Amino acid sequence: MNTFILGNPGKCIGCKACEIACSVAHLDTSVVKANEMNLPFISRLNLVRTSSVTMPIQCRQCEDAPCANVCSVGAIVHKDNCNVVLEEKCIGCKECMLACPFGMIDMQPKFTEGEAEFQVGLKVESLQGEQKKAYVVMQKCDLCKGRANGPACIEVCPADAFVIVNPDFIRKNIHDKRVSSAQEIAKRKYTGNS
Ligand code: SF4
Ligand code: SF4
């Protein structure tokens, strides 16, 4: 089963530390250099705020992933219990973005070692004249694979509002539910409550 990260709306205080940490974790250069170069800070999770809820939302790493199923160039693959984007294959067609039931896919400019990449064949008109067109690709939560301290959002959250849902978590969750069912049934049987 794929691993994914789930935010808890009952704990989240809406401080946005997770969004900032996610952006910094994917900068591909230092924060200082990013500031100097005016690089955009792009988060792969999204803090949702409504009148009734504050909750971080990110990719659920679906088992039967709609994004991977619609991708016509095979740019989304399964690797290490996670759905991974092969940026070099992505052509920015946006089918995955429309297919995602959680709205957790964004199309973002691609940077390599802090440098923006541009398309070979297309230009855009601007007030400054004809400019190179940015190379835009699909981006989503990658569980911070390869990061020494694991997912940055979990590391910084002051409210302990995330849980990693992996096979161990599921097994414990199911076990706890079974124990509590047994206790409830035993209580009803011996006290006569229904
Ligand atoms: S860091 Fe934690 S408390 Fe702050 S917005 Fe993110 S989930 Fe909510
Ligand atoms: S696990 Fe990493 S990539 Fe995914 S939302 Fe958290 S910080 Fe962003």
Side-chain angles (χ1 to χ4, degrees):
M1 191 190 80
N2 288 349
T3 299
F4 65 99
I5 295 173
L6 198 55
N8 181 343
K11 287 187 169 182
C12 175
I13 55 173
C15 67
K16 280 185 167 267
C18 52
E19 275 194 357
I20 295 164
C22 183
S23 311
V24 171
H26 294 88
L27 265 181
D28 201 23
T29 185
S30 72
V31 175
V32 175
K33 196 170 169 206
N35 267 332
E36 284 168 5
M37 297 171 71
N38 277 331
L39 295 181
F41 283 62
I42 297 164
S43 175
R44 294 171 185 224
L45 66 73
N46 212 261
L47 185 71
V48 173
R49 263 185 229 275
T50 71
S51 55
S52 57
V53 73
T54 304
M55 181 179 180
I57 305 277
Q58 63 254 76
C59 173
R60 295 287 283 269
Q61 315 295 347
C62 306
E63 301 295 324
D64 185 12
C67 58
N69 291 339
V70 297
C71 181
S72 50
V73 295
I76 303 163
V77 297
H78 182 259
K79 195 175 170 209
D80 301 334
N81 291 339
C82 177
N83 296 328
V84 176
V85 184
L86 305 175
E87 288 191 357
E88 67 281 6
K89 280 195 166 189
C90 176
I91 56 171
C93 74
K94 308 168 198 69
E95 287 284 358
C96 56
M97 194 171 76
L98 297 174
C100 175
F102 299 100
M104 279 327 301
I105 290 176
D106 280 317
M107 308 306 296
Q108 302 286 2
K110 185 171 188 291
F111 289 83
T112 302
E113 292 175 10
E115 300 285 342
E117 291 202 24
F118 295 95
Q119 293 202 3
V120 177
L122 295 176
K123 305 258 192 256
V124 287
E125 292 293 337
S126 76
L127 291 175
Q128 290 75 40
E130 208 174 58
Q131 307 272 321
K132 289 187 280 187
K133 188 171 189 303
Y135 180 1
V136 172
V137 291
M138 179 272 220
Q139 284 183 353
K140 69 169 194 72
C141 170
D142 58 2
L143 297 176
C144 286
K145 291 273 187 216
R147 187 175 181 270
N149 290 344
C153 51
I154 297 181
E155 188 184 14
V156 301
C157 178
D160 199 18
F162 291 100
V163 60
I164 293 191
V165 183
N166 57 20
D168 286 346
F169 177 92
I170 296 283
R171 266 192 295 277
K172 179 166 184 333
N173 189 274
I174 290 172
H175 172 77
D176 291 351
K177 280 182 188 162
R178 286 174 184 165
V179 169
S180 115
S181 291
Q183 286 170 335
E184 191 55 36
I185 290 164
K187 197 167 102 194
R188 282 208 300 270
K189 185 173 173 188
Y190 292 112
T191 60
N193 293 337
S194 60

